[in-house]
């Protein structure tokens, strides 16, 4: 009633005003407001891709409860949007427009406004709009906020000029960081956390007339313009408009050189003037301002010449461009000098703040402004999992990284950034790259030369996009398959992990680092130091994780033999960086208790750097120092003093740099420790050739995802397949057979590539280019009938053989821990598919997974069983062994348990009764030796002779022949008596003890 009366009075007063006055008050030339939401029911509650309003939140309790509520005091119409919330993490709601319709054009309006019912709680509410991109969930987010410091209804008006680019999160990694307004996909509100409350919203609409300053912008070709001393910098200044229409009013740009570290008249010639873009000027029109620099023939650091721009009639650039006169004549710039001398010279010139910057690594998406790279002297940036440019193509990666490197040129000594990425099985963040099997599959190949080839392909594809540093390989020794990172390991035996470290040479080239400057090499990272694969189940304190980031409890002897051994090999191979583990180390018997690895000075300074002689640099894991007990200053002090050289902050780069400087000035970190850290970092930058070539060399980009690279991945996929059972010789398949294919992982590229693929956790579905197992089967037998029914619901009659591909869906790190919503059982749907197909015909079951799955209860009904691991993008490789183009040669890199109760179970255990032992792997297309015990005696003599003479190839061949003979004798009746010596034999083979290996295989034969 009250609202109706007020509106009636307002209408009467408006009617009494002269028409001119009324028109002026409303803004005669302004467009009428355009409703976005009136909340009368015209927009439903619905999730994307349909148009609708929907809540979201960090966990199940965080999304607010939404309703359309009839209110007498509704500012517009009869209903308002109401909701209640009690948010511990984050939460809010969104209105997305329909994905199958064109985005909306808001460019004619000044801003967006809405009615908000105030609670006067002094809380900030974030309001964001969604600009450009493919849809509302793949757009660019622009944000602002308002404060609820009032009571009752109030109309909140937000001009579009108030919105800023969101730097903490972008759903697609950002697009162009330009608020275009012509392709808008909706809006979202983020509600306050830590307070229980309710809200009411009404009348969201566009208002006002967009000025030319919203539609037109002045832009420069670059923010930084490096130039050699004596050269002339050319700064191109352009006018750009939304929708690329001509400007309808003149735009003027006054410019002048002012400020900076260079001196006018000595270092450059001062310039000043004005550019005019008349009305009607086409969008994209450019003018050039030239800034001459002067030669003074003295060696000096880089100097800056800012070009101040004053813009009228358009939006000015976010920052003024600056000319940088390159550093020159200083010893560290002389590529002919030894790296040691170059590094020492440069360190001697740096201020403490500049040194602290070199020790700082930030996530690319965390930069509050691109200029922060120079402002904070950042030494490194990274892309976390899924942090990619848009579009996610090679050219966008190289452009992005070049833009970051350009910013680093604005620093005093123009120290290039070192950009890092988790390319853990190929350049796995890049769509269309060659994705290798995960390490667990590479371990199954038992092929060190192939491991090196996979590293070479990865390095070539990563470096071709401008990235010189790879956070790989993981040298963890996985000791418990409940660990969500199991697939990151080459296996459970340190000898196997050590044998696969040829991948380091694949990535880096020569051990002395002389190849690192090449366009197909990257700096490698040995991780996670040390013991991350040995964490005890139930020891993790990270969220809902059960084992990842937990505590490794070992004796010193076990630590040396199992977990440290791979890192000794990595140091010997010249690995350039080492990353500590999130986990803690508890050495039994020393009474020190668990120590976070990022704080373990004994293991980093004492063992890694001093005893092993590691001369590269130590990089922290993602925000890992935050897990060290104590406040932030203590975290910084403890980690740096423990031997960390660079800290992956990744968001707290400003705070970290300031804190590090404060700690040094207070004497709690020595400047000598800082100098050591920075020297180590700069040494690797010099070896990589970044000072001479900081920008991307894209000459190898055409090889990304090429046939040659995919051939390596195909070979790796084939060799990683482990044949566990093959009753009746079902495999290899014949091209004449009619094949029934089923299972959730038969035709899913996302499932077969696993976690750390395109995004951190990976995802099911068509997430990148490649060949699924089903596609590989159809290509391998083009004339055969290969029919597919995912759930095995199609009729099963008339087929010669079934192939059922089952297993896991993607996960990464502790998210995949058993007990954290995961187990080692097949899903009900996968079990049903196996039962249906294997009950109707001869069947082959492939398990696509990052770790063993419990299959014992169905083993008797399965004719052939294959551990496929996570084979990557080349399903053709799986088909190659199924159809006999290649022989099965893979061997288990981990023990395959009978039950979860057996875990942990590993080669060398005193009690050892698995489903299949470590090292097990049947073969096809290979003649298995005959002759039983007599043949084993002959092979034992060969092995002994080979060991005495150092004939490793002969020794390995003798053990392999013995293994095949023994496997044939054991058949499917694996017992504890035969399993233990069988597994021991494979460990002995890897350590070169061929005679003893055959002896253990003989023991397994006798117990069969």
């Amino acid at each position: 009633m009250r609202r109706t009366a007020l509106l009636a009075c307002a209408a009467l007063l408006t009617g009494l005003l002269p028409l001119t006055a009324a028109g002026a008050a409303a803004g005669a030339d302004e467009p009428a407001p355009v409703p976005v939401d009136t909340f009368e029911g015209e927009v439903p509650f619905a999730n994307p891709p349909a148009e609708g309003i929907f809540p979201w939140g960090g966990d199940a309790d965080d999304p607010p409860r939404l309703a359309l509520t009839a209110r007498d005091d509704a500012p517009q119409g009869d209903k308002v949007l109401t909701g209640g919330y009690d948010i511990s993490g984050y939460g809010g709601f969104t209105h997305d427009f329909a994905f199958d319709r064109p985005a909306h054009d808001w460019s004619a309006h000044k801003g967006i406004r809405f009615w908000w019912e105030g609670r006067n709680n002094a809380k900030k509410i974030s309001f964001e709009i969604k600009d450009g991109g493919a849809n509302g969930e793949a757009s660019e987010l622009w944000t602002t906020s308002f404060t609820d410091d009032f009571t009752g209804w109030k109309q909140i008006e937000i001009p579009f000029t108030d919105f800023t680019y969101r730097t903490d999160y972008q759903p697609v990694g950002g697009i162009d960081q330009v608020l275009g307004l012509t392709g808008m996909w909706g809006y979202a509100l983020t509600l306050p956390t830590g307070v229980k409350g309710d809200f009411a919203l009404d009348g969201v609409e566009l208002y006002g007339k967009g000025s030319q300053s919203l539609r037109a912008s002045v832009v420069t070709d670059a923010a930084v313009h490096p130039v050699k001393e004596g050269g002339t910098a050319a700064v191109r200044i352009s006018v750009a408009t939304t929708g690329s229409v001509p400007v309808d009013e003149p735009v003027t740009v006054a410019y002048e050189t002012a400020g900076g570290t260079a001196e006018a008249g000595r270092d450059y010639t001062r310039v000043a003037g004005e550019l005019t873009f008349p009305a009607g000027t086409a969008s994209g029109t450019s003018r050039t301002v030239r800034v001459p620099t002067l030669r003074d023939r003295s060696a000096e650091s880089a100097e800056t010449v800012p070009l101040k721009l004053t813009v009228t009639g358009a939006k000015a650039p976010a920052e003024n461009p600056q000319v940088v006169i390159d550093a020159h004549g200083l010893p560290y710039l002389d590529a002919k000098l030894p790296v040691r001398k170059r590094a020492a010279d440069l360190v001697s010139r740096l201020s403490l703040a500049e040194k602290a910057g070199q020790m700082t690594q930030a996530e690319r998406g965390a930069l509050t402004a691109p200029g922060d790279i120079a402002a904070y002297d950042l030494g490194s940036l990274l892309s976390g999992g899924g942090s990619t440019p848009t579009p996610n193509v090679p050219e966008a990666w190289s452009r992005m990284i070049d833009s970051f490197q350009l910013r680093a040129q604005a620093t005093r000594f123009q120290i290039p950034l070192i950009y890092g990425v988790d390319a853990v099985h190929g350049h796995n963040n890049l769509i269309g790259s060659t994705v290798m099997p995960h390490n667990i599959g590479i371990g199954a190949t038992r092929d060190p030369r192939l491991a090196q080839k996979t590293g070479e392909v990865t390095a070539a594809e990563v470096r071709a996009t401008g990235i010189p540093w790879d956070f790989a390989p993981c040298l963890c020794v996985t000791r418990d398959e409940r660990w969500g990172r199991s697939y990151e390991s080459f296996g459970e035996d340190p000898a196997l992990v050590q044998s696969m470290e040829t991948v380091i040479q694949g990535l880096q080239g020569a051990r002395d680092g002389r190849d690192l400057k090449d366009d197909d090499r990257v700096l490698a990272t040995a991780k996670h130091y040390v013991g991350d694969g040995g964490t005890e189940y139930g020891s993790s304190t990270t969220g809902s994780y059960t084992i990842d980031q937990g505590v490794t409890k070992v004796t010193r002897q076990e630590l040396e033999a199992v977990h440290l051994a791979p890192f000794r090999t990595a140091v010997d191979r010249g690995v350039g960086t080492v990353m500590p583990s999130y986990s803690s180390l508890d050495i039994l018997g020393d009474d020190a208790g668990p120590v976070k690895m990022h704080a373990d000075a004994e293991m980093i300074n004492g063992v890694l750097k001093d005893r092993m002689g590691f001369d590269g640099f130590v990089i922290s894991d993602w925000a890992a120092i935050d897990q060290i007990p104590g406040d932030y200053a203590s975290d910084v002090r403890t980690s740096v003093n423990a031997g960390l050289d660079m800290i992956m902050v990744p968001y707290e780069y400003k705070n970290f740099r300031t804190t590090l400087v404060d700690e040094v000035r207070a004497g709690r970190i020595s400047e000598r420790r800082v100098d050591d850290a920075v020297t180590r970092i700069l040494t690797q930058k010099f070896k990589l050739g970044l000072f001479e070539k900081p920008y991307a060399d894209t000459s190898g980009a055409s090889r990304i995802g090429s046939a040659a690279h995919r051939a390596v991945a195909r070979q790796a996929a084939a060799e990683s397949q482990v044949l566990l059972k093959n009753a009746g010789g079902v495999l290899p398949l014949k091209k004449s057979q009619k094949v029934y294919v089923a299972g959730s992982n038969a035709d899913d590229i996302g499932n077969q590539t696993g976690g750390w693929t395109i995004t951190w956790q990976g995802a099911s579905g068509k997430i990148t280019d490649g060949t699924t197992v089903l596609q590989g089967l159809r290509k391998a037998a083009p004339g055969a009938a290969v029919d597919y029914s995912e759930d095995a619901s199609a009729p099963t009659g008339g087929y010669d053989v079934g192939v059922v591909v089952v297993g896991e869906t993607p996960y990464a790190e502790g998210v995949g821990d058993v007990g954290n919503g995961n187990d080692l059982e097949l899903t009900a749907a996968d079990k049903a598919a196996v039962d249906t197909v294997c009950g109707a015909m001869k069947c082959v079951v492939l398990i696509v997974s990052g770790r063993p799955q419990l299959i014992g209860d169905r083993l008797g009904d399965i004719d052939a069983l294959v551990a496929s691991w996570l084979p990557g993008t080349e399903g053709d490789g799986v088909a190659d062994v199924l159809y006999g183009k290649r022989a099965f040669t893979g061997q288990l890199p981990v023990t395959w348990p009978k039950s979860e109760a057996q875990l942990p179970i590993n080669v060398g255990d005193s009690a050892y009764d698995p489903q299949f032992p470590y090292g097990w792997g049947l073969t096809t297309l290979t003649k298995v030796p005959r002759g039983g015990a007599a043949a084993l005696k002959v092979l034992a003599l060969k092995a002994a002779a080979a060991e005495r003479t150092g004939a490793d190839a002969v020794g390995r061949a003798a053990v392999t022949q013995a293994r095949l003979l023994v496997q044939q004798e054991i058949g499917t009746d694996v017992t504890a008596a035969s399993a233990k010596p069988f597994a021991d034999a494979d460990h002995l083979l890897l350590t070169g003890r061929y005679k003893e290996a055959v002896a253990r295989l003989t023991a397994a034969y006798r117990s069969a």
Side-chain angles (χ1 to χ4, degrees):
M1 292 286 292
R2 178 174 175 272
R3 170 183 163 272
T4 304
L6 286 171
L7 290 178
C9 290
L12 178 60
L13 287 169
T14 302
L16 295 174
L17 291 171
L19 288 178
T20 54
D29 60 343
E30 291 194 357
V34 173
V36 177
D37 272 327
T38 63
F39 304 113
E40 300 300 307
E42 78 283 7
V43 177
F45 293 121
N47 289 308
E51 179 169 11
I53 301 166
F54 60 93
W56 39 265
D59 56 39
D61 298 328
D62 284 351
R65 302 172 302 280
L66 302 180
L68 297 177
T69 304
R71 293 267 295 261
D72 287 342
D73 63 343
Q76 293 182 10
D78 298 315
K79 295 178 182 178
V80 301
L81 179 69
T82 62
Y85 59 90
D86 185 4
I87 302 167
S88 58
Y90 64 89
F93 61 92
T94 292
H95 176 185
D96 270 0
F97 304 141
F99 289 8
D100 61 350
R101 298 177 193 170
H104 296 205
D105 186 346
W106 292 358
S107 62
H109 296 274
K110 179 181 180 180
I112 191 167
R113 66 189 181 193
F114 50 88
W115 290 90
W116 182 263
E117 188 177 33
R119 299 293 188 264
N120 201 21
N121 56 19
K123 295 291 184 178
K124 280 192 173 183
I125 294 96
S126 295
F127 189 96
E128 68 187 23
I129 53 178
K130 303 185 170 196
D131 178 56
N135 54 61
E137 299 306 293
S139 59
E140 196 166 70
L141 305 182
W142 290 76
T143 187
T144 188
S145 65
F146 64 94
T147 302
D148 188 338
D149 56 2
F150 53 91
T151 302
W153 289 107
K154 178 180 178 180
Q155 191 172 46
I156 308 294
E157 289 194 347
I158 306 176
F160 290 130
T161 51
D162 284 1
F163 285 91
T164 59
Y165 179 77
R166 185 170 170 181
T167 58
D168 59 335
Y169 170 72
Q170 288 290 340
V172 289
I175 300 171
D176 56 10
Q177 297 190 28
V178 173
L179 182 57
L181 296 173
T182 57
M184 304 303 295
W185 291 102
Y187 65 89
L189 280 87
T190 302
L191 297 167
T193 60
V195 57
K196 188 174 183 178
D198 56 69
F199 71 89
L201 174 74
D202 199 17
V204 181
E205 64 185 18
L206 308 176
Y207 75 95
K209 179 183 179 181
S211 67
Q212 179 168 288
S213 62
L214 280 175
R215 300 191 306 275
S217 300
V218 167
V219 296
T220 61
D221 55 334
V224 178
H225 293 77
V227 62
K228 292 186 183 300
E229 186 188 46
T232 297
V235 181
R236 194 167 71 247
I237 299 172
S238 308
V239 63
T241 62
T242 299
S244 298
V245 298
V247 295
D248 51 16
E249 299 172 15
V251 174
T252 61
V253 182
Y255 61 87
E256 63 173 326
T257 51
T261 59
E263 181 182 337
R266 179 178 178 273
D267 299 309
Y268 70 97
T269 302
R270 184 180 179 276
V271 297
E274 185 175 274
L275 305 174
T276 300
F277 298 89
T281 299
S283 177
T285 300
S286 300
R287 305 277 191 272
T288 299
V289 174
R290 301 186 186 279
V291 181
T293 68
L294 305 174
R295 189 184 299 275
D296 62 12
R297 301 186 182 278
S298 61
E300 54 193 345
S301 59
E303 297 170 307
T304 58
V305 186
L307 185 64
K308 182 182 177 183
L309 304 181
T310 303
V311 178
T312 303
K315 189 176 182 180
E319 58 185 311
N320 286 317
Q322 58 181 326
V323 173
V324 178
I325 305 171
D326 287 340
H328 53 278
L330 300 173
Y332 78 89
L333 294 170
D334 186 353
K336 296 178 181 178
L337 287 178
V339 165
R340 177 179 54 80
K341 288 187 176 182
R342 297 179 74 185
D345 176 70
L346 181 50
V347 171
S348 71
R349 298 176 186 279
L350 298 177
S351 68
L352 176 57
E354 286 167 328
K355 293 172 185 175
Q358 285 302 300
M359 296 173 66
T360 307
Q361 184 183 61
E363 152 65 31
R364 59 174 281 278
L367 293 175
T368 55
D372 283 356
I373 292 170
Y376 294 91
D377 300 291
L378 296 181
S380 181
L381 294 179
L382 83 150
S383 279
S387 178
T388 65
T390 302
N392 188 356
V393 296
E395 296 82 3
W397 279 92
S398 57
R399 284 197 305 268
M400 175 186 73
I401 292 165
D402 281 355
S403 72
F404 294 144
Q405 290 289 17
L406 181 62
R407 293 289 185 163
Q409 294 298 299
T411 58
R412 264 206 314 163
F413 297 104
Q414 299 184 301
I415 303 174
L417 295 163
I418 179 169
Y419 199 99
V421 67
D422 285 279
V424 297
H425 61 139
H427 195 354
N428 44 258
N429 287 287
L430 172 63
I431 293 173
S433 67
T434 307
V435 178
M436 302 291 170
H438 270 293
N439 283 355
I440 196 77
I442 300 298
T445 70
R446 296 298 201 281
D447 190 341
R449 291 183 181 178
L450 180 58
Q452 181 166 337
K453 284 184 181 179
T454 65
E456 290 169 353
V457 170
T458 299
E461 297 200 358
V462 169
R463 195 67 181 259
T465 56
I467 301 168
W469 185 14
D470 185 2
F471 304 132
C474 185
L475 302 183
C476 50
V477 181
T478 178
R479 306 293 283 177
D480 191 329
E481 277 61 63
R482 290 172 291 190
W483 189 32
R485 287 184 181 265
S486 291
Y487 62 76
E488 294 188 41
S489 173
F490 292 114
E492 71 186 32
D493 183 352
L496 174 57
V497 176
Q498 288 171 284
S499 72
M500 294 294 111
E501 290 186 53
T502 49
V503 70
I504 293 172
Q505 263 56 66
L507 294 168
Q508 291 194 169
R511 298 178 187 221
D512 63 4
R514 65 178 180 269
D515 297 332
L516 283 171
K517 63 183 180 301
D518 295 348
D519 66 358
D520 58 355
R521 299 295 183 185
V522 293
L523 194 67
T525 307
K527 64 182 190 183
H528 303 91
Y529 183 82
V530 59
D532 57 335
T535 48
E536 186 177 79
Y537 188 81
S539 66
S540 180
T541 56
T542 301
S544 56
Y545 293 6
T546 58
I547 186 169
D548 188 35
Q549 303 186 20
V551 180
T552 298
K553 297 180 180 180
V554 287
T555 63
R556 285 198 177 271
Q557 182 181 7
E558 186 181 357
L559 176 65
E560 293 284 345
V562 176
H563 299 292
L564 277 172
F567 289 92
R568 285 195 299 270
T569 300
V571 171
D572 290 343
R573 287 186 172 276
V575 72
T577 63
V578 170
M579 180 184 290
S581 174
Y582 281 113
S583 58
S584 301
L585 183 61
D586 186 357
I587 300 177
L588 302 177
D590 68 1
D591 299 325
V595 178
K596 278 284 183 185
M597 276 309 311
H598 280 73
D600 199 329
E602 178 193 355
M603 296 307 300
I604 298 173
N605 284 329
V607 175
L608 178 65
K609 290 183 173 179
D610 293 343
R611 197 184 84 194
M612 292 186 186
F614 173 64
D615 60 2
F617 70 88
V618 178
I619 170 71
S620 87
D621 209 333
W622 180 279
I625 69 167
D626 296 348
Q627 295 188 8
I628 299 173
D631 60 18
Y632 194 69
S634 173
D635 295 346
V636 172
R637 176 171 66 251
T638 301
S639 59
V640 172
N641 284 335
L644 269 68
D645 302 307
M646 181 184 286
I647 309 298
M648 188 187 296
V649 260
Y651 294 103
E652 293 290 323
Y653 62 93
K654 297 177 184 178
N655 190 18
F656 170 76
R657 180 176 178 268
T658 299
T659 303
L660 177 55
V661 169
D662 290 345
E663 288 297 298
V664 175
R665 287 177 176 161
R668 291 183 286 267
I669 298 173
S670 71
E671 192 148 3
R672 181 179 179 184
R673 169 78 270 272
V674 170
D675 286 351
D676 171 62
V678 176
T679 298
R680 289 168 177 269
I681 292 164
L682 294 178
T683 295
Q684 299 303 329
K685 290 186 177 184
F686 282 120
K687 286 183 177 181
L688 285 161
L690 295 177
F691 283 82
E692 289 70 48
K693 294 175 64 177
Y695 303 113
D697 181 343
T698 59
S699 58
S702 62
R703 299 197 298 273
I704 295 173
S706 65
H709 285 183
R710 290 185 183 275
V712 174
R714 179 174 183 166
Q715 180 186 351
E719 291 191 23
S720 71
Q721 304 299 294
V722 180
L723 183 57
L724 300 173
K725 179 181 178 181
N726 192 23
V730 173
L731 291 175
L733 302 174
K734 300 175 181 63
K735 293 183 179 180
S736 60
Q737 290 176 311
K738 189 175 182 182
V739 182
Y740 186 105
V741 182
S744 59
N745 286 350
D747 195 30
D748 195 307
I749 198 77
N751 287 356
Q752 76 183 44
T753 51
W756 286 110
T757 308
I758 310 305
T759 59
W760 173 40
Q761 290 293 319
S764 301
K766 180 69 168 67
I767 63 172
T768 191
D769 302 330
T771 304
T772 66
V773 174
L774 174 65
Q775 290 168 335
L777 290 170
R778 286 174 168 165
K779 288 166 67 178
V786 179
D787 299 326
Y788 176 55
S789 174
E790 179 177 338
D791 59 357
S793 59
T796 56
Y799 290 91
D800 298 306
V801 64
V803 176
V804 192
V805 190
V806 295
E808 296 184 308
T809 53
Y811 55 81
E813 300 187 32
V815 175
D817 284 352
V818 167
N820 188 19
N822 306 283
D823 55 38
L824 300 180
E825 297 279 351
L826 299 179
T827 65
D830 278 350
K831 289 178 180 179
V834 170
D835 292 344
T836 298
V837 176
C838 294
M841 65 194 82
K842 290 182 178 180
C843 72
V844 180
V845 173
L846 277 65
I847 299 180
V848 172
S849 64
R851 54 196 170 191
Q853 304 290 284
L854 302 176
I855 197 75
D857 57 344
R858 285 171 168 75
L859 191 56
D861 299 323
I862 295 170
D863 296 290
L865 179 64
V866 179
S868 287
W869 310 112
L870 297 169
T873 51
E874 307 314 299
D876 286 328
V878 180
D880 286 342
V881 292
L882 292 176
Y883 270 103
K885 184 175 182 178
R886 288 180 180 269
F888 274 94
T889 57
Q891 295 175 247
L892 284 181
V894 293
T895 300
W896 198 283
K898 288 181 178 177
S899 69
E900 195 174 313
Q902 287 185 314
L903 298 175
I905 183 171
N906 294 288
V907 57
D909 288 354
S910 56
Y912 191 74
D913 184 22
Q915 191 83 65
F916 297 102
Y918 168 78
W920 186 268
L922 306 176
T923 190
T924 52
L925 311 181
T926 302
K927 187 176 181 180
V928 177
R930 297 182 179 276
L936 286 172
K937 286 182 180 180
V938 174
L939 291 169
L941 292 173
K942 286 184 178 180
E947 191 173 331
R948 280 196 311 272
T949 60
D952 290 332
V954 175
R956 286 193 295 269
V959 178
T960 299
Q961 293 235 305
R963 179 177 62 83
L964 295 176
L965 187 157
V966 172
Q967 282 182 157
Q968 188 174 62
E969 179 69 17
I970 293 173
T972 58
D973 188 21
V974 178
T975 65
S978 62
K980 182 170 175 52
F982 184 94
D984 291 344
D986 199 62
H987 171 73
L988 293 165
L989 166 64
L990 288 164
T991 55
R993 291 176 282 177
Y994 310 125
K995 176 184 176 182
E996 197 176 345
V998 176
R1000 296 300 285 154
L1001 286 168
T1002 301
Y1005 177 85
R1006 288 171 180 162
S1007 65

